[in-house]
Amino acid sequence: MPSVPLPPKESNLFKRILKCYEQKQYKNGLKFCKMILSNPKFAEHGGFVHSDQVSTLVQSNTPVQWDDEDQNTWWKHTSVNLPKTLAMKGLTLNCLGKKEEAYEFVRKGLRNDVKSHVCWHVYGLLQRSDKKYDEAIKCYRNALKLDKDNLQILRDLSLLQIQMRDLEGYRETRYQLLQLRPTQRASWIGYAIAYHLLKDYDMALKLLEEFRKTQQIPPNKIDYEYSELILYQNQVMREADLFQESLEHIETYEKQICDKLMVEEIKGEMLLKLGRLKEAGEVYKELIERNAENWYYYEGLEKALQPSTLEERLQIYEEVSKRHPRAVSPRRLPLNFVSGEKFRELLDKFLRVNFSKGCPPLFTTLKSLYYNPEKVSTIQELVTGYETSLKTCDLFSTCENGEKEPPTTLLWVRYFLAQHFDKLGQCSLALDYINTAIASTPTLIELFYLKAKIYKHVGNLKEAAKWMDEAQSLDTADRFINSKCAKYMLRANMVKDAEEMCSKFTREGTSAMENLNEMQCMWFQTECAAAYQRLGKYGDALKKCHEVERHFFEITDDQFDFHTYCMRKMTLRAYVDLLRLEDVLRKHAFYFKAARSAIEIYLKLHDNPLTNESKEQEVNSENLSAKELKKMLSKQRRAQKKAKLEEERKHAERERQQKNQKKKRDEEEEETSGPREELIPEKLERVENPLEEAIKFLIPLKNLIGDEIETHLLAFEIYFRKGKFLLMLQSVKRAFAIDSNNPWLHECLIKFSKAVSDHSNLPEIVSKVLTQEMQKIFVNKNLESFNEEFLKHNATSVQHQLSGAKMMYFLDKSRQEKAIAVATRLDKNMRDKNVKTLTKVFEALLDGSFGSCHTQCEEYQAACHKLFPYTSAFMPATNEDDSSIASVNHTAINHDLLSNEI
């Protein structure tokens, strides 16, 4: 459609629309749009809009300054025919969150002028604001077909290409930008980064060198941006294994680099790579003089000096220790490689200094030595000797005569011994030492903190939360201890208490849960999800898992802010590191925890879909006596009353939050984007296809955490339920390659093999592949003999015996007694007899893995209670508990947490 210029009156109205948009007065802007479009002459109004201005408005919502030259001549810069009033209305509606109407108006503009590159550009920007990056790229490409040299469209396209890691396309787009703007710094840098990310180091270095030559920086002047360019250039050289060139380069431009420490570290690394050991040794000695606590420098110095004997190696550290008598590292590092009497001598000196000084993290410093039983024995012998001597004569040894130690020395010795015995799993001794320490100094936070930690390790999480609460009460202004207390409460399933604890440090006027989500506090959300999962509140648990997933999506999306900023500020090394971090972002432990919880819940929901509660209660009531029925109804009434009060509280809280949010919006501005879909627990736990939802969480794990066996075993559990045999085979093969003796994998293999044999109607080619591959694993053994061999091979492992016993019962239900006897073995030969593994066995007896076995379950609980009297899961059921099952379900035994230090 041909363009119709606006008369003066409507032209002034359109300027007012732009002004309203700049000032974020969107509603007024819509009024002026309506005034123009209500005129029949301009209902499909066309005119000229500057492409760069439209892009700026849509992307940033920042005011655009229209100078006199722009107002009079901007139309000369681009012959764009766009129904501008419709476009502006669409953009304004987009900012108000009215996505559908915004698209309608922009599409109407496209229908009026489908050959307008600005119209396609705006359409792409709307798609980008909706996170539809692939569609946005298509729109940008359509715009470039109509105006191939449009700078703003090329820039926007390059941003999306690097965001989506389309590196080949990014390189082509940056090349076009370089041709159009060869004098701009970003053109050269962007093109060089494209080659760097594609690992074409030679071309990247040529581009960077050509650009560097254009920089007019005097040799003696230090310029930060030029310094960053030099260091980035050197990083590319090192990645290309150009060690000699890297060393010469850093020496040439050393005086112009701001980061002098990085210069020395690069020199040391390159000299080592080139075999110039003497020079490397001098560099690392200088670095140690600068920072005597950096372990990396000592490692480099040892490689450079190449000591041939233990005495020469010790001499390195002794010399440093003389020059830096207060440094810890030169006295700590030799403990890693010495042994025998020399270890005892050095450890004695190290411990005495730290105990006299009162060093709380001393045990943490030495914890890495506990892999060696001989060293553990020496540590125990020395420290228990200190404790005995200090109690009698206030000296480290009764044979010494000297200045007496202060009373605090004995306190820190007992604190260390409590940690030592806790690490060794001797909880009774650990509690004795920590209780003695608390009795002598009842105001020291570290003591209560450690007592809570000991109770956590023995599986009594309620008691652990109680003592951590006691610790935080000694200093309510300490955010760290507050967070620890909240975490322990969550592990004990005390979600409300944990939320109240966190509320001391969250923003007033909003609930702690909402504020913690807003701050992306993922440690809280992952722990909260696990707590809800243990409590059987699957909807709430899934909500937390999805919130964590959204955080990772937002972090990925936030890259957009840095694609242009880092090139402008020349923080190129940090920018490349950011891109590489984002590529593996979901390898983070927080994502893995959330994804694992979500997958486990979805599997449980698939196996046992949630039913109507009232119907379930009717069925249950038929089998109850009059007394039991009365008790149940009373319990239900109390629960309903409690639920009603909780719902009223939530409703009041929700109304208050809505008022606060509305007030905030009215005071500041309208929302710039539509609200995200609300996560409602009831909907999340009643999804139509739980397995499809589980796969959404699984895909990032398979792509990024393929080296974890748990990833592939979770994948197997999903595909097993979907009946996807080839994918099941893929999962078990990958898991088998990581750890062929894994107990969970053993269960999966037997289930898989039995499922294959039970399905006789598989396609011939699939059946052939499955038979061939399973033959490699089972080696002509039937399932029973395969399981027996697994049990025999792992006769001293509780976990392996449990998995083998489960499969024994799975394959032959008549062998129940034999299977239970195998799983419940507690003889002295069992090497992993700890809280974590025994709790797993106990839960397996309860959850029906061995059928009905109430008597054996009680016997096993009693036997475990003798071994671990403090573990709440093994304590006899009290009157408050209806059964031992309730005891376990509400004790919140988290196996991963318990196994951290046991």
Side-chain angles (χ1 to χ4, degrees):
M1 175 180 282
S3 301
V4 181
L6 288 171
K9 181 182 175 184
E10 279 73 14
S11 182
N12 288 331
L13 278 174
F14 185 76
K15 289 177 183 177
R16 293 180 73 178
I17 293 170
L18 292 174
K19 190 174 181 180
C20 289
Y21 193 99
E22 293 163 14
Q23 296 175 354
K24 300 186 179 181
Q25 297 175 358
Y26 303 128
K27 291 181 180 177
N28 289 337
L30 285 177
K31 289 179 185 176
F32 295 131
C33 287
K34 188 176 180 181
M35 290 171 69
I36 295 176
L37 295 173
S38 61
N39 188 333
K41 294 180 182 180
F42 310 113
E44 301 294 332
H45 159 245
F48 302 102
V49 176
H50 193 291
S51 174
D52 289 0
Q53 285 179 320
V54 171
S55 175
T56 305
L57 291 171
V58 175
Q59 291 181 68
S60 62
N61 291 341
T62 53
V64 178
Q65 300 300 321
W66 298 72
D67 57 34
D68 294 336
E69 184 182 352
D70 282 338
Q71 290 182 5
N72 295 323
T73 62
W74 49 259
W75 57 274
K76 295 178 182 177
H77 304 312
T78 176
S79 55
V80 180
N81 188 348
L82 174 72
K84 60 183 181 181
T85 309
L86 291 172
M88 285 307 302
K89 186 169 184 179
L91 299 179
T92 305
L93 288 166
N94 183 59
C95 291
L96 287 170
K98 300 179 180 179
K99 299 283 185 185
E100 292 182 7
E101 293 178 61
Y103 276 106
E104 182 184 341
F105 279 97
V106 175
R107 285 173 184 143
K108 191 180 289 185
L110 264 175
R111 285 197 295 271
N112 279 274
D113 193 356
V114 76
K115 292 188 177 180
S116 166
H117 73 270
V118 178
C119 195
W120 279 109
H121 189 188
V122 172
Y123 193 30
L125 291 167
L126 284 185
Q127 296 278 15
R128 192 190 111 169
S129 72
D130 250 0
K131 317 297 183 191
K132 298 176 182 177
Y133 299 136
D134 292 329
E135 294 299 318
I137 288 174
K138 290 177 187 175
C139 294
Y140 289 158
R141 290 196 181 280
N142 284 335
L144 286 172
K145 287 176 185 175
L146 302 164
D147 186 3
K148 64 179 181 179
D149 293 336
N150 188 296
L151 279 172
Q152 189 59 47
I153 299 175
L154 284 168
R155 288 192 193 108
D156 289 342
L157 176 60
S158 72
L159 291 179
L160 279 181
Q161 285 170 328
I162 190 63
Q163 179 77 7
M164 300 298 289
R165 299 300 188 269
D166 175 13
L167 299 180
E168 294 286 351
Y170 179 67
R171 180 179 61 185
E172 292 171 12
T173 306
R174 295 309 310 189
Y175 179 60
Q176 288 178 267
L177 285 167
L178 179 60
Q179 287 181 311
L180 293 170
R181 286 290 186 274
T183 57
Q184 286 188 354
R185 180 168 68 181
S187 301
W188 287 89
I189 297 299
Y191 194 37
I193 286 176
Y195 276 105
H196 180 202
L197 296 174
L198 284 165
K199 298 187 178 180
D200 188 344
Y201 301 116
D202 292 339
M203 191 63 183
L205 287 169
K206 286 176 186 175
L207 288 165
L208 290 169
E209 181 60 21
E210 287 300 316
F211 173 69
R212 189 198 61 75
K213 290 176 182 177
T214 64
Q215 303 300 294
Q216 303 299 321
I217 307 293
N220 296 324
K221 183 182 177 183
I222 294 179
D223 178 81
Y224 174 76
E225 293 183 355
Y226 186 68
S227 167
E228 282 296 306
L229 174 64
I230 297 295
L231 287 172
Y232 176 62
Q233 201 174 0
N234 196 272
Q235 178 181 334
V236 178
M237 289 177 181
R238 297 198 307 276
E239 289 182 18
D241 292 340
L242 301 172
F243 304 133
Q244 183 63 42
E245 291 84 347
S246 170
L247 181 61
E248 291 171 0
H249 177 264
I250 207 75
E251 288 175 343
T252 302
Y253 300 104
E254 181 177 353
K255 292 181 180 178
Q256 292 177 284
I257 296 175
C258 299
D259 192 345
K260 302 299 181 187
L261 179 62
M262 177 59 70
V263 170
E264 295 302 314
E265 288 179 346
I266 291 171
K267 276 187 187 179
E269 183 185 348
M270 293 303 100
L271 288 167
L272 279 178
K273 296 275 189 185
L274 294 167
R276 294 159 61 176
L277 302 180
K278 187 175 180 181
E279 295 168 77
E282 293 303 317
V283 171
Y284 279 109
K285 283 178 182 177
E286 290 176 13
L287 285 168
I288 289 172
E289 290 300 313
R290 183 172 182 146
N291 179 6
E293 299 293 358
N294 191 318
W295 289 24
Y296 167 74
Y297 297 160
Y298 291 99
E299 184 184 340
L301 183 60
E302 281 197 39
K303 287 178 181 177
L305 298 179
Q306 293 187 324
S308 55
T309 64
L310 183 64
E311 288 72 22
E312 288 179 10
R313 196 175 179 187
L314 276 171
Q315 185 66 28
I316 296 171
Y317 294 93
E318 286 173 5
E319 288 176 4
V320 176
S321 193
K322 286 175 185 176
R323 293 196 304 274
H324 302 277
R326 299 184 66 180
V328 175
S329 295
R331 290 181 286 114
R332 166 63 185 85
L333 287 170
L335 299 176
N336 290 335
F337 56 82
V338 297
S339 58
E341 283 303 313
K342 192 63 181 176
F343 174 77
R344 187 186 185 88
E345 178 191 334
L346 295 176
L347 180 66
D348 188 29
K349 291 178 183 176
F350 186 77
L351 289 173
R352 290 187 183 213
V353 171
N354 284 281
F355 283 139
S356 296
K357 190 166 58 175
C359 182
L362 176 59
F363 178 79
T364 306
T365 308
L366 297 175
K367 192 161 63 172
S368 58
L369 299 174
Y370 276 63
Y371 71 92
N372 187 323
E374 183 187 341
K375 291 184 177 181
V376 173
S377 177
T378 305
I379 292 170
Q380 182 170 319
E381 188 180 334
L382 280 172
V383 183
T384 51
Y386 297 157
E387 198 242 353
T388 304
S389 182
L390 285 166
K391 281 195 296 187
T392 57
C393 61
D394 292 332
L395 293 169
F396 283 111
S397 173
T398 52
C399 304
E400 296 175 357
N401 291 316
E403 188 178 345
K404 291 188 176 183
E405 293 293 326
T408 53
T409 304
L410 179 58
L411 171 70
W412 293 116
V413 167
R414 285 170 173 161
Y415 178 69
F416 182 93
L417 283 170
Q419 293 175 89
H420 168 81
F421 287 113
D422 178 41
K423 174 73 174 173
L424 299 180
Q426 299 178 32
C427 57
S428 297
L429 268 175
L431 285 171
D432 287 343
Y433 277 111
I434 200 63
N435 286 333
T436 307
I438 289 173
S440 66
T441 314
T443 56
L444 190 62
I445 294 175
E446 284 85 349
L447 303 180
F448 294 95
Y449 175 86
L450 177 57
K451 187 169 183 177
K453 203 171 183 181
I454 294 168
Y455 274 112
K456 179 192 78 171
H457 292 158
V458 299
N460 196 333
L461 300 180
K462 293 276 186 184
E463 195 71 13
K466 169 192 161 186
W467 287 106
M468 193 60 79
D469 189 22
E470 185 74 21
Q472 76 83 31
S473 69
L474 296 174
D475 186 359
T476 55
D478 188 331
R479 188 190 289 261
F480 169 77
I481 201 71
N482 176 277
S483 298
K484 275 290 180 185
C485 185
K487 183 181 276 192
Y488 273 54
M489 287 175 169
L490 287 172
R491 288 171 178 175
N493 296 344
M494 300 158 64
V495 180
K496 286 295 172 190
D497 297 294
E499 186 180 358
E500 287 175 17
M501 184 61 61
C502 286
S503 66
K504 296 177 182 179
F505 287 94
T506 55
R507 190 176 64 238
E508 291 184 14
T510 72
S511 72
M513 284 283 191
E514 291 298 321
N515 192 227
L516 290 165
N517 180 45
E518 185 183 325
M519 294 190 294
Q520 298 185 343
C521 187
M522 287 188 270
W523 70 261
F524 181 87
Q525 291 175 302
T526 51
E527 292 290 348
C528 202
Y532 280 132
Q533 183 183 356
R534 292 189 294 268
L535 290 168
K537 297 182 177 180
Y538 299 133
D540 293 298
L542 287 171
K543 179 180 178 180
K544 292 300 170 191
C545 294
H546 281 279
E547 284 175 353
V548 171
E549 199 280 331
R550 282 186 176 182
H551 294 332
F552 279 90
F553 177 81
E554 287 165 8
I555 293 168
T556 303
D557 202 50
D558 286 344
Q559 288 177 86
F560 268 119
D561 298 334
F562 298 98
H563 295 317
T564 52
Y565 172 85
C566 290
M567 288 189 200
R568 192 170 71 249
K569 294 293 186 181
M570 292 296 285
T571 54
L572 304 177
R573 291 179 299 148
Y575 177 57
V576 172
D577 289 343
L578 168 71
L579 295 180
R580 289 171 175 169
L581 170 66
E582 295 282 3
D583 288 340
V584 295
L585 186 65
R586 284 178 169 80
K587 286 183 78 170
H588 197 282
F590 285 149
Y591 184 82
F592 185 78
K593 286 179 183 178
R596 180 178 58 193
S597 291
I599 292 169
E600 288 172 353
I601 291 167
Y602 281 126
L603 290 173
K604 190 160 282 189
L605 291 174
H606 174 268
D607 296 341
N608 304 293
L610 296 180
T611 55
N612 188 301
E613 291 180 11
S614 59
K615 288 182 180 179
E616 198 173 86
Q617 287 169 2
E618 285 175 15
V619 173
N620 290 339
S621 63
E622 291 175 3
N623 302 320
L624 298 177
S625 64
K627 187 177 180 181
E628 288 173 331
L629 181 61
K630 184 179 178 181
K631 185 179 178 182
M632 187 191 78
L633 292 173
S634 175
K635 192 174 181 180
Q636 286 175 8
R637 281 195 296 273
R638 287 198 303 272
Q640 287 171 0
K641 187 177 179 181
K642 187 177 178 182
K644 187 179 178 182
L645 290 170
E646 182 65 22
E647 185 60 36
E648 288 175 357
R649 190 190 68 77
K650 282 185 179 178
H651 183 69
E653 180 72 19
R654 201 157 40 238
E655 281 189 345
R656 187 168 61 81
Q657 286 178 22
Q658 287 171 354
K659 285 179 182 177
N660 289 337
Q661 289 170 1
K662 187 176 185 300
K663 185 180 178 183
K664 188 177 178 183
R665 283 199 299 270
D666 292 341
E667 288 175 352
E668 295 178 359
E669 60 192 20
E670 290 92 346
E671 290 292 329
T672 56
S673 62
R676 302 192 69 169
E677 183 184 353
E678 187 180 356
L679 296 170
I680 302 170
E682 290 74 18
K683 288 184 179 178
L684 291 172
E685 66 186 1
R686 286 181 167 80
V687 290
E688 290 183 8
N689 196 333
L691 295 181
E692 290 302 321
E693 296 299 320
I695 285 175
K696 291 177 185 176
F697 281 94
L698 176 69
I699 289 171
L701 299 186
K702 289 181 72 175
N703 293 337
L704 296 172
I705 319 181
D707 54 348
E708 284 283 341
I709 192 169
E710 203 168 346
T711 296
H712 304 297
L713 297 177
L714 287 170
F716 171 83
E717 295 291 352
I718 295 172
Y719 298 135
F720 180 75
R721 287 158 175 80
K722 288 176 73 71
K724 304 287 186 182
F725 284 93
L726 291 177
L727 288 171
M728 288 155 63
L729 175 64
Q730 179 195 66
S731 300
V732 294
K733 279 192 70 179
R734 289 176 176 175
F736 194 82
I738 296 170
D739 180 7
S740 60
N741 198 40
N742 183 277
W744 186 4
L745 171 61
H746 177 72
E747 295 178 35
C748 293
L749 285 170
I750 289 184
K751 288 179 185 176
F752 179 44
S753 182
K754 193 168 190 309
V756 171
S757 61
D758 290 346
H759 283 73
S760 55
N761 57 345
L762 290 171
E764 185 180 346
I765 185 66
V766 174
S767 182
K768 186 178 179 182
V769 170
L770 293 174
T771 304
Q772 287 177 351
E773 293 299 325
M774 294 306 288
Q775 174 71 21
K776 296 174 185 177
I777 296 172
F778 286 92
V779 197
N780 293 326
K781 294 173 188 158
N782 60 36
L783 296 183
E784 286 77 6
S785 59
F786 181 76
N787 190 51
E788 290 297 332
E789 186 175 318
F790 176 81
L791 286 168
K792 186 178 178 181
H793 183 68
N794 301 283
T796 60
S797 168
V798 174
Q799 292 187 74
H800 290 80
Q801 292 292 297
L802 172 62
S803 293
K806 279 184 181 179
M807 292 303 99
M808 185 187 292
Y809 180 72
F810 173 74
L811 293 170
D812 186 357
K813 297 291 189 290
S814 65
R815 301 186 68 188
Q816 182 194 36
E817 287 189 14
K818 171 67 174 173
I820 293 173
V822 169
T824 56
R825 276 179 57 202
L826 290 173
D827 54 61
K828 294 179 181 179
N829 297 326
M830 308 307 283
R831 51 185 166 78
D832 57 341
K833 205 162 45 174
N834 54 50
V835 174
K836 173 192 170 185
T837 53
L838 298 190
T839 307
K840 275 188 176 180
V841 176
F842 185 46
E843 289 181 345
L845 293 171
L846 291 170
D847 64 18
S849 297
F850 297 98
S852 178
C853 52
H854 187 70
T855 305
Q856 294 96 323
C857 183
E858 287 184 346
E859 290 172 357
Y860 187 73
Q861 183 180 19
C864 291
H865 181 61
K866 289 180 182 177
L867 291 173
F868 298 101
Y870 296 102
T871 304
S872 52
F874 303 142
M875 291 179 182
T878 61
N879 294 332
E880 295 175 1
D881 298 321
D882 293 328
S883 68
S884 57
I885 297 177
S887 175
V888 170
N889 288 343
H890 297 283
T891 303
I893 295 298
N894 187 321
H895 306 303
D896 294 329
L897 297 173
L898 295 175
S899 63
N900 282 343
E901 296 187 30
I902 294 179

